[in-house]
Amino acid sequence: MNGYSIESHLKAAGLSFDALDIVEKTFKVNGVQKLRGKVVGRLGSELRREYANQNGEKDINAVSTGCYCIGIGGEYQIRYSDGFASRVVYIGSGNVYGRLKSHLKDKLFDFAHAMRGIPLTFHIADLRESKLDHKNLEQMLLDKFKSNSGGSLPLLNKNNAVNKAMDSPSESKLKAGWDKPLHKDKGKQVAKWLIEPRNFDEWKGILD
C-alpha cells in the first residue's frame, strides 16, 4: 500500500508543515494535537479504503493480529551501513490499524515532518487465521533485515520483537512473499536517491 503523504493531507486541510510549526509556537499544545488528529483521521480513512480495495472489502480495523512494515516511497531509499539500502524504516506487529494510527498521531508524524514530500508505504500481513504468531513473524522479518544489512535494524526500530530466542518455522514452510517488503526494487520501482539521517540514534526506537 503505497503513497500515503501526510503533507498532502495537510494541504487538503488548508495547512502545511510550515504552517503547523507556526501554530505550534503560537497556540497551546492541545490545539496542535487537534490539528494533527484531523490530518491523521483523513489519512486513516484513505488507508482503510485502500486496504478494502486491495483485500476484497476487508476492514483493516478488524486485523487484530497482524504484522506490518512501514517504508518510504517515491524515488527514495534509506542508506544504511556497508552500502545496504532499503525503503523499510520500521517493522512492527499487533492490532495493525490501532498501532498505525497511534504511530501517525505521534512520532511517525514527526518523522514525516522531517521527510516532507516523501510518502509513506505500508505492507500489512493479516495473521488472524494463521498459526504463525505475530511476534514470531515480526522477529523473522527483523532477523532477515539484519542479515541483509550487516546487522542494522530498520531506522525506527531499536529493539527486537522478543527478548529471547523463540522457535520459528523455516522459511521454506512459509508462504511465498512473506518477506516481500524486504525485497529489492526491480525495473521502474528502483529508487534513484539514497538518503540518510545525520544521526541515526535520533530516530532509533521512536515507535517501539
Side-chain angles (χ1 to χ4, degrees):
M1 300 172 68
N2 299 322
Y4 298 89
S5 170
I6 289 180
E7 186 175 54
S8 67
H9 284 282
L10 279 169
K11 289 179 180 178
L15 295 167
S16 67
F17 279 120
D18 290 335
L20 200 64
D21 288 341
I22 294 172
V23 171
E24 192 166 12
K25 293 176 181 177
T26 307
F27 297 96
K28 294 180 180 179
V29 173
N30 188 43
V32 176
Q33 290 303 321
K34 286 183 178 179
L35 288 174
R36 280 194 178 207
K38 182 179 180 180
V39 172
V40 170
R42 286 174 178 268
L43 195 149
S45 295
E46 182 186 6
L47 190 59
R48 291 183 74 172
R49 286 195 303 271
E50 188 67 18
Y51 185 85
N53 289 339
Q54 294 183 13
N55 294 275
E57 299 305 315
K58 290 183 179 179
D59 186 357
I60 189 177
N61 198 30
V63 184
S64 55
T65 306
C67 191
Y68 58 93
C69 294
I70 302 173
I72 58 172
E75 300 180 336
Y76 302 89
Q77 286 185 326
I78 301 293
R79 190 207 307 269
Y80 289 91
S81 58
D82 299 325
F84 173 74
S86 174
R87 294 186 183 275
V88 175
V89 296
Y90 187 77
I91 297 170
S93 67
N95 184 314
V96 172
Y97 188 63
R99 291 273 290 164
L100 289 178
K101 284 203 73 174
S102 178
H103 293 330
L104 286 164
K105 287 179 180 178
D106 195 18
K107 297 299 183 181
L108 189 56
F109 194 102
D110 297 334
F111 177 73
H113 188 326
M115 303 296 284
R116 294 301 172 111
I118 300 177
L120 299 171
T121 65
F122 302 98
H123 295 269
I124 297 166
D126 183 353
L127 300 178
R128 287 175 294 171
E129 299 179 5
S130 173
K131 294 181 180 179
L132 183 61
D133 182 81
H134 64 94
K135 283 292 184 183
N136 203 319
L137 179 57
E138 179 185 352
Q139 188 59 54
M140 292 182 71
L141 287 167
L142 288 170
D143 287 342
K144 185 73 175 280
F145 188 95
K146 287 191 292 184
S147 176
N148 292 342
S149 67
S152 297
L153 284 169
L155 176 61
L156 307 183
N157 284 97
K158 185 176 181 180
N159 303 308
N160 286 310
V162 293
N163 294 323
K164 59 181 180 179
M166 61 190 302
D167 294 331
S168 298
S170 64
E171 293 186 13
S172 62
K173 293 183 178 180
L174 296 176
K175 291 183 178 180
W178 71 273
D179 60 345
K180 184 178 179 180
L182 307 185
H183 292 180
K184 290 184 177 180
D185 292 341
K186 295 180 180 180
K188 294 182 180 179
Q189 295 179 334
V190 174
K192 296 180 180 179
W193 297 90
L194 299 180
I195 59 176
E196 61 180 295
R198 290 182 178 179
N199 182 3
F200 274 83
D201 290 339
E202 179 182 352
W203 298 101
K204 278 294 173 189
I206 65 168
L207 302 186
D208 287 341

PDB file of all heavy atoms in Angstrom, residues 74-77 87 183-193:
ATOM      1  N   GLY A  74       8.142   6.753  -3.308  1.00  0.00           N
ATOM      2  CA  GLY A  74       8.746   7.633  -4.307  1.00  0.00           C
ATOM      3  C   GLY A  74      10.047   7.076  -4.845  1.00  0.00           C
ATOM      4  O   GLY A  74      10.194   5.868  -5.036  1.00  0.00           O
ATOM      5  N   GLU A  75      10.994   7.947  -5.058  1.00  0.00           N
ATOM      6  CA  GLU A  75      12.276   7.559  -5.656  1.00  0.00           C
ATOM      7  C   GLU A  75      13.383   7.425  -4.615  1.00  0.00           C
ATOM      8  O   GLU A  75      14.556   7.540  -4.937  1.00  0.00           O
ATOM      9  CB  GLU A  75      12.680   8.588  -6.709  1.00  0.00           C
ATOM     10  CG  GLU A  75      11.669   8.733  -7.849  1.00  0.00           C
ATOM     11  CD  GLU A  75      12.103   9.768  -8.871  1.00  0.00           C
ATOM     12  OE1 GLU A  75      12.885  10.672  -8.511  1.00  0.00           O
ATOM     13  OE2 GLU A  75      11.674   9.647 -10.036  1.00  0.00           O
ATOM     14  N   TYR A  76      12.998   7.139  -3.358  1.00  0.00           N
ATOM     15  CA  TYR A  76      13.960   7.204  -2.265  1.00  0.00           C
ATOM     16  C   TYR A  76      14.105   5.885  -1.507  1.00  0.00           C
ATOM     17  O   TYR A  76      13.153   5.123  -1.360  1.00  0.00           O
ATOM     18  CB  TYR A  76      13.551   8.296  -1.272  1.00  0.00           C
ATOM     19  CG  TYR A  76      13.432   9.660  -1.888  1.00  0.00           C
ATOM     20  CD1 TYR A  76      12.225  10.090  -2.433  1.00  0.00           C
ATOM     21  CD2 TYR A  76      14.532  10.514  -1.962  1.00  0.00           C
ATOM     22  CE1 TYR A  76      12.111  11.341  -3.017  1.00  0.00           C
ATOM     23  CE2 TYR A  76      14.426  11.763  -2.541  1.00  0.00           C
ATOM     24  CZ  TYR A  76      13.218  12.178  -3.068  1.00  0.00           C
ATOM     25  OH  TYR A  76      13.104  13.413  -3.649  1.00  0.00           O
ATOM     26  N   GLN A  77      15.316   5.669  -1.012  1.00  0.00           N
ATOM     27  CA  GLN A  77      15.614   4.603  -0.075  1.00  0.00           C
ATOM     28  C   GLN A  77      16.509   5.177   1.024  1.00  0.00           C
ATOM     29  O   GLN A  77      17.195   6.180   0.828  1.00  0.00           O
ATOM     30  CB  GLN A  77      16.347   3.439  -0.756  1.00  0.00           C
ATOM     31  CG  GLN A  77      15.479   2.572  -1.637  1.00  0.00           C
ATOM     32  CD  GLN A  77      16.251   1.368  -2.169  1.00  0.00           C
ATOM     33  OE1 GLN A  77      17.453   1.445  -2.430  1.00  0.00           O
ATOM     34  NE2 GLN A  77      15.563   0.252  -2.337  1.00  0.00           N
ATOM     35  N   ARG A  87      13.894   0.605   1.576  1.00  0.00           N
ATOM     36  CA  ARG A  87      12.778   1.515   1.820  1.00  0.00           C
ATOM     37  C   ARG A  87      12.220   1.342   3.229  1.00  0.00           C
ATOM     38  O   ARG A  87      11.574   2.239   3.766  1.00  0.00           O
ATOM     39  CB  ARG A  87      11.660   1.264   0.808  1.00  0.00           C
ATOM     40  CG  ARG A  87      12.017   1.604  -0.630  1.00  0.00           C
ATOM     41  CD  ARG A  87      10.792   1.460  -1.528  1.00  0.00           C
ATOM     42  NE  ARG A  87      11.111   1.719  -2.933  1.00  0.00           N
ATOM     43  CZ  ARG A  87      11.135   2.921  -3.472  1.00  0.00           C
ATOM     44  NH1 ARG A  87      10.881   3.990  -2.721  1.00  0.00           N
ATOM     45  NH2 ARG A  87      11.415   3.093  -4.750  1.00  0.00           N
ATOM     46  N   HIS A 183      12.229  -7.211  -0.171  1.00  0.00           N
ATOM     47  CA  HIS A 183      12.805  -7.486  -1.493  1.00  0.00           C
ATOM     48  C   HIS A 183      13.373  -6.217  -2.122  1.00  0.00           C
ATOM     49  O   HIS A 183      12.879  -5.117  -1.892  1.00  0.00           O
ATOM     50  CB  HIS A 183      11.745  -8.070  -2.427  1.00  0.00           C
ATOM     51  CG  HIS A 183      11.299  -9.446  -2.044  1.00  0.00           C
ATOM     52  ND1 HIS A 183      10.345 -10.147  -2.758  1.00  0.00           N
ATOM     53  CD2 HIS A 183      11.672 -10.263  -1.026  1.00  0.00           C
ATOM     54  CE1 HIS A 183      10.152 -11.323  -2.199  1.00  0.00           C
ATOM     55  NE2 HIS A 183      10.945 -11.419  -1.146  1.00  0.00           N
ATOM     56  N   LYS A 184      14.393  -6.388  -2.929  1.00  0.00           N
ATOM     57  CA  LYS A 184      14.976  -5.261  -3.648  1.00  0.00           C
ATOM     58  C   LYS A 184      14.033  -4.804  -4.763  1.00  0.00           C
ATOM     59  O   LYS A 184      13.325  -5.608  -5.363  1.00  0.00           O
ATOM     60  CB  LYS A 184      16.332  -5.655  -4.249  1.00  0.00           C
ATOM     61  CG  LYS A 184      17.430  -5.864  -3.221  1.00  0.00           C
ATOM     62  CD  LYS A 184      18.762  -6.147  -3.897  1.00  0.00           C
ATOM     63  CE  LYS A 184      19.880  -6.278  -2.885  1.00  0.00           C
ATOM     64  NZ  LYS A 184      21.186  -6.556  -3.534  1.00  0.00           N
ATOM     65  N   ASP A 185      14.018  -3.513  -5.009  1.00  0.00           N
ATOM     66  CA  ASP A 185      13.208  -2.969  -6.096  1.00  0.00           C
ATOM     67  C   ASP A 185      13.721  -3.464  -7.450  1.00  0.00           C
ATOM     68  O   ASP A 185      14.913  -3.709  -7.623  1.00  0.00           O
ATOM     69  CB  ASP A 185      13.245  -1.440  -6.095  1.00  0.00           C
ATOM     70  CG  ASP A 185      12.537  -0.844  -4.893  1.00  0.00           C
ATOM     71  OD1 ASP A 185      11.726  -1.556  -4.284  1.00  0.00           O
ATOM     72  OD2 ASP A 185      12.809   0.321  -4.567  1.00  0.00           O
ATOM     73  N   LYS A 186      12.785  -3.582  -8.388  1.00  0.00           N
ATOM     74  CA  LYS A 186      13.152  -4.002  -9.734  1.00  0.00           C
ATOM     75  C   LYS A 186      12.502  -3.077 -10.760  1.00  0.00           C
ATOM     76  O   LYS A 186      11.459  -2.487 -10.500  1.00  0.00           O
ATOM     77  CB  LYS A 186      12.709  -5.443  -9.988  1.00  0.00           C
ATOM     78  CG  LYS A 186      13.401  -6.471  -9.115  1.00  0.00           C
ATOM     79  CD  LYS A 186      12.909  -7.870  -9.438  1.00  0.00           C
ATOM     80  CE  LYS A 186      13.596  -8.913  -8.570  1.00  0.00           C
ATOM     81  NZ  LYS A 186      13.111 -10.292  -8.877  1.00  0.00           N
ATOM     82  N   GLY A 187      13.125  -2.965 -11.914  1.00  0.00           N
ATOM     83  CA  GLY A 187      12.563  -2.198 -13.007  1.00  0.00           C
ATOM     84  C   GLY A 187      12.331  -0.742 -12.659  1.00  0.00           C
ATOM     85  O   GLY A 187      13.189  -0.066 -12.089  1.00  0.00           O
ATOM     86  N   LYS A 188      11.122  -0.241 -12.955  1.00  0.00           N
ATOM     87  CA  LYS A 188      10.797   1.155 -12.735  1.00  0.00           C
ATOM     88  C   LYS A 188      10.696   1.512 -11.252  1.00  0.00           C
ATOM     89  O   LYS A 188      10.662   2.685 -10.897  1.00  0.00           O
ATOM     90  CB  LYS A 188       9.471   1.498 -13.432  1.00  0.00           C
ATOM     91  CG  LYS A 188       9.550   1.415 -14.951  1.00  0.00           C
ATOM     92  CD  LYS A 188       8.222   1.803 -15.582  1.00  0.00           C
ATOM     93  CE  LYS A 188       8.289   1.736 -17.101  1.00  0.00           C
ATOM     94  NZ  LYS A 188       6.987   2.102 -17.729  1.00  0.00           N
ATOM     95  N   GLN A 189      10.614   0.490 -10.392  1.00  0.00           N
ATOM     96  CA  GLN A 189      10.493   0.753  -8.966  1.00  0.00           C
ATOM     97  C   GLN A 189      11.822   1.083  -8.292  1.00  0.00           C
ATOM     98  O   GLN A 189      11.834   1.509  -7.143  1.00  0.00           O
ATOM     99  CB  GLN A 189       9.879  -0.470  -8.260  1.00  0.00           C
ATOM    100  CG  GLN A 189       8.441  -0.765  -8.676  1.00  0.00           C
ATOM    101  CD  GLN A 189       7.884  -1.979  -7.969  1.00  0.00           C
ATOM    102  OE1 GLN A 189       8.621  -2.864  -7.559  1.00  0.00           O
ATOM    103  NE2 GLN A 189       6.576  -2.019  -7.818  1.00  0.00           N
ATOM    104  N   VAL A 190      12.927   0.868  -8.999  1.00  0.00           N
ATOM    105  CA  VAL A 190      14.244   1.094  -8.402  1.00  0.00           C
ATOM    106  C   VAL A 190      14.399   2.559  -7.998  1.00  0.00           C
ATOM    107  O   VAL A 190      14.118   3.479  -8.776  1.00  0.00           O
ATOM    108  CB  VAL A 190      15.361   0.704  -9.392  1.00  0.00           C
ATOM    109  CG1 VAL A 190      16.726   1.078  -8.834  1.00  0.00           C
ATOM    110  CG2 VAL A 190      15.306  -0.794  -9.668  1.00  0.00           C
ATOM    111  N   ALA A 191      14.828   2.774  -6.764  1.00  0.00           N
ATOM    112  CA  ALA A 191      14.994   4.136  -6.247  1.00  0.00           C
ATOM    113  C   ALA A 191      16.136   4.851  -6.958  1.00  0.00           C
ATOM    114  O   ALA A 191      17.142   4.233  -7.324  1.00  0.00           O
ATOM    115  CB  ALA A 191      15.262   4.085  -4.746  1.00  0.00           C
ATOM    116  N   LYS A 192      15.978   6.160  -7.123  1.00  0.00           N
ATOM    117  CA  LYS A 192      17.008   6.970  -7.771  1.00  0.00           C
ATOM    118  C   LYS A 192      17.855   7.739  -6.758  1.00  0.00           C
ATOM    119  O   LYS A 192      18.915   8.253  -7.101  1.00  0.00           O
ATOM    120  CB  LYS A 192      16.349   7.947  -8.748  1.00  0.00           C
ATOM    121  CG  LYS A 192      15.636   7.266  -9.911  1.00  0.00           C
ATOM    122  CD  LYS A 192      15.014   8.287 -10.844  1.00  0.00           C
ATOM    123  CE  LYS A 192      14.292   7.602 -12.003  1.00  0.00           C
ATOM    124  NZ  LYS A 192      13.648   8.588 -12.914  1.00  0.00           N
ATOM    125  N   TRP A 193      17.350   7.825  -5.511  1.00  0.00           N
ATOM    126  CA  TRP A 193      18.043   8.609  -4.491  1.00  0.00           C
ATOM    127  C   TRP A 193      18.216   7.795  -3.223  1.00  0.00           C
ATOM    128  O   TRP A 193      17.301   7.110  -2.774  1.00  0.00           O
ATOM    129  CB  TRP A 193      17.249   9.876  -4.155  1.00  0.00           C
ATOM    130  CG  TRP A 193      17.086  10.815  -5.301  1.00  0.00           C
ATOM    131  CD1 TRP A 193      16.063  10.833  -6.210  1.00  0.00           C
ATOM    132  CD2 TRP A 193      17.976  11.869  -5.675  1.00  0.00           C
ATOM    133  NE1 TRP A 193      16.252  11.827  -7.124  1.00  0.00           N
ATOM    134  CE2 TRP A 193      17.414  12.497  -6.828  1.00  0.00           C
ATOM    135  CE3 TRP A 193      19.175  12.364  -5.156  1.00  0.00           C
ATOM    136  CZ2 TRP A 193      18.020  13.570  -7.462  1.00  0.00           C
ATOM    137  CZ3 TRP A 193      19.765  13.440  -5.799  1.00  0.00           C
ATOM    138  CH2 TRP A 193      19.200  14.023  -6.929  1.00  0.00           C
TER     139      TRP A 193
END
